[in-house]
Amino acid sequence: MALGEFELIERFFTWPTPRAVLGVDDDCAVLAPTPGMQLCVSSDMLVEGRHFLSTVDPQRLGHKALAVNLSDLAACGADPLAFTLALALPRADERLAEGLAQGLFALAGRHGIELVGGDTTAGPLNLCITVIGQVPAGQALLRSGARAGDELWVSGTLGDARAALEVFRGTLEVSGEAFTALRRAMELPEPRVALGQRLRGIASSAIDVSDGLLGDLGHILRRSGVGARLDVNALPRSAVLAGLPPALQQECLLHGGDDYELLFTLPAAVAAEVGSILSPEVPLHCIGRIEAGRGVQCQRGGRAVSVPTAGYDHFA
Ligand code: ADP
Ligand code: MG
């Protein structure tokens, strides 16, 4: 049975919005930010064939579309408030819409973020979400605050999503169990929202790792006008990744996209006190140090190694 545009919106994408003044239903949503807070706004689009495979489970796709956006709020240290969803669907497919909605709202509920509007159109499957969060005025974490002497830290593990992609591409073979774990990392990233909030007033800079560690570190370094020394051996990796050939491991760790971990800098005095206790939900690792100068110097066991530094660029 084919559903109309408004039926689709009403059945699958209209949920209660107790925090918003007005949610889905009018020409605009109306929000009431807490006095004294600044808004943080970010959009990320997921396009079939480019960001996900046509075979992906709709529930996982719904999760990921919101997760990658929440990850941007996390990188700014923001408290999630509201989001909009611009959705193109090839057909008014109930199973697809219901799956997407389940994935979206399960994650939204855990982070207290409300769907307050959007747009729905026919077209190649495409999800564009805009998230709105808030931070106490002047406290948003930025890419520009890293200083020579700061320690460089990362949450979780890196590289699994890229390894999963290599399995899908047919360039890597792993056991069924290992593939399940890698695929989970690729399809169900957990945005580090609580960590980002805790880093406010503590971290000197932060970014989420979405386009590969070296590329995203490069953004911090350029915006901050500093360089960094990175210890490749210290990069945190899953047991599955640690079992892959060393050259592939290094590629996944340094250049793999879709990690959605937080990369941040801590002034050394702060790091000594809080580095290990900042985050009960996810392990944190010190992976290097900010230095005067430019660019990244990669080291392995104290010896310099040379690696290309470009991150992912859709038009390169
Ligand atoms: P307009 O014609 O003003 O663009 P629409 O008819 O497109 O409004 O949308 C009607 C209402 O439904 C609006 O409140 C809009 O924000 C909301 N909406 C449309 N698509 C979605 C969606 N995918 N998710 C949530 N809300 C949506
Ligand atoms: Mg519209």
Side-chain angles (χ1 to χ4, degrees):
M1 184 194 63
L3 285 173
E5 174 187 334
F6 299 105
E7 236 180 314
L8 259 179
I9 297 169
E10 198 182 318
R11 271 190 56 191
F12 299 111
F13 300 105
T14 306
W15 277 52
T17 53
R19 292 168 74 193
V21 177
L22 181 63
V24 171
D25 207 18
D26 212 301
D27 292 308
C28 289
V30 181
L31 307 178
T34 308
M37 305 288 265
Q38 288 175 332
L39 297 179
C40 300
V41 180
S42 177
S43 295
D44 257 317
M45 180 158 65
L46 294 193
V47 177
E48 180 171 347
R50 177 140 294 262
H51 301 99
F52 60 91
L53 306 162
S54 60
T55 51
V56 72
D57 167 30
Q59 221 167 308
R60 290 188 166 199
L61 181 57
H63 170 99
K64 185 161 177 178
L66 181 58
V68 304
N69 278 280
L70 283 170
S71 181
D72 285 316
L73 289 184
C76 289
D79 306 335
L81 265 186
F83 70 107
T84 62
L85 168 66
L87 179 65
L89 289 172
R91 20 200 164 78
D93 177 335
E94 265 186 69
R95 217 196 109 253
L96 176 58
E98 186 170 16
L100 290 174
Q102 277 171 359
L104 269 178
F105 287 111
L107 184 64
R110 283 201 278 125
H111 291 282
I113 190 167
E114 299 179 343
L115 179 60
V116 295
D119 199 24
T120 306
T121 165
L125 187 55
N126 184 325
L127 293 95
C128 181
I129 287 180
T130 297
V131 282
I132 302 163
Q134 60 181 13
V135 289
Q139 284 192 34
L141 299 171
L142 304 177
R143 299 175 176 185
S144 52
R147 297 292 172 258
D150 288 356
E151 289 185 359
L152 185 63
W153 287 69
V154 74
S155 64
T157 61
L158 300 171
D160 277 5
R162 171 60 181 281
L165 186 61
E166 296 299 331
V167 178
F168 276 114
R169 283 174 173 162
T171 58
L172 171 66
E173 268 187 56
V174 296
S175 72
E177 199 184 327
F179 181 50
T180 300
L182 295 178
R183 186 174 185 172
R184 205 183 154 78
M186 179 169 89
E187 296 180 343
L188 292 173
E190 230 6 271
R192 304 303 184 193
V193 176
L195 172 60
Q197 292 165 340
R198 249 175 263 129
L199 289 174
R200 291 200 302 242
I202 291 176
S204 48
S205 71
I207 191 170
D208 68 319
V209 183
S210 55
D211 295 332
L213 176 68
L214 282 187
D216 288 322
L217 173 57
H219 292 308
I220 286 189
L221 301 183
R222 271 187 301 279
R223 294 293 308 280
S224 300
V226 291
R229 181 186 304 254
L230 190 69
D231 179 0
V232 178
N233 286 343
L235 296 179
R237 65 205 79 186
S238 69
V240 173
L241 200 83
L244 300 182
L248 178 62
Q249 270 186 57
Q250 179 170 313
E251 174 66 19
C252 292
L253 289 166
L254 294 177
H255 299 292
D258 265 3
D259 292 309
Y260 304 105
E261 295 297 345
L262 292 188
L263 176 68
F264 55 95
T265 54
L266 296 177
V270 171
E273 274 177 43
V274 298
S276 54
I277 54 161
L278 261 174
S279 177
E281 37 330 282
V282 55
L284 306 178
H285 290 93
C286 178
I287 59 171
R289 189 174 283 279
I290 300 298
E291 299 184 330
R294 283 170 161 273
V296 183
Q297 214 206 89
C298 287
Q299 298 197 328
R300 196 182 265 294
R303 274 199 305 156
V305 288
S306 101
V307 290
T309 54
Y312 189 74
D313 176 337
H314 281 279
F315 295 101

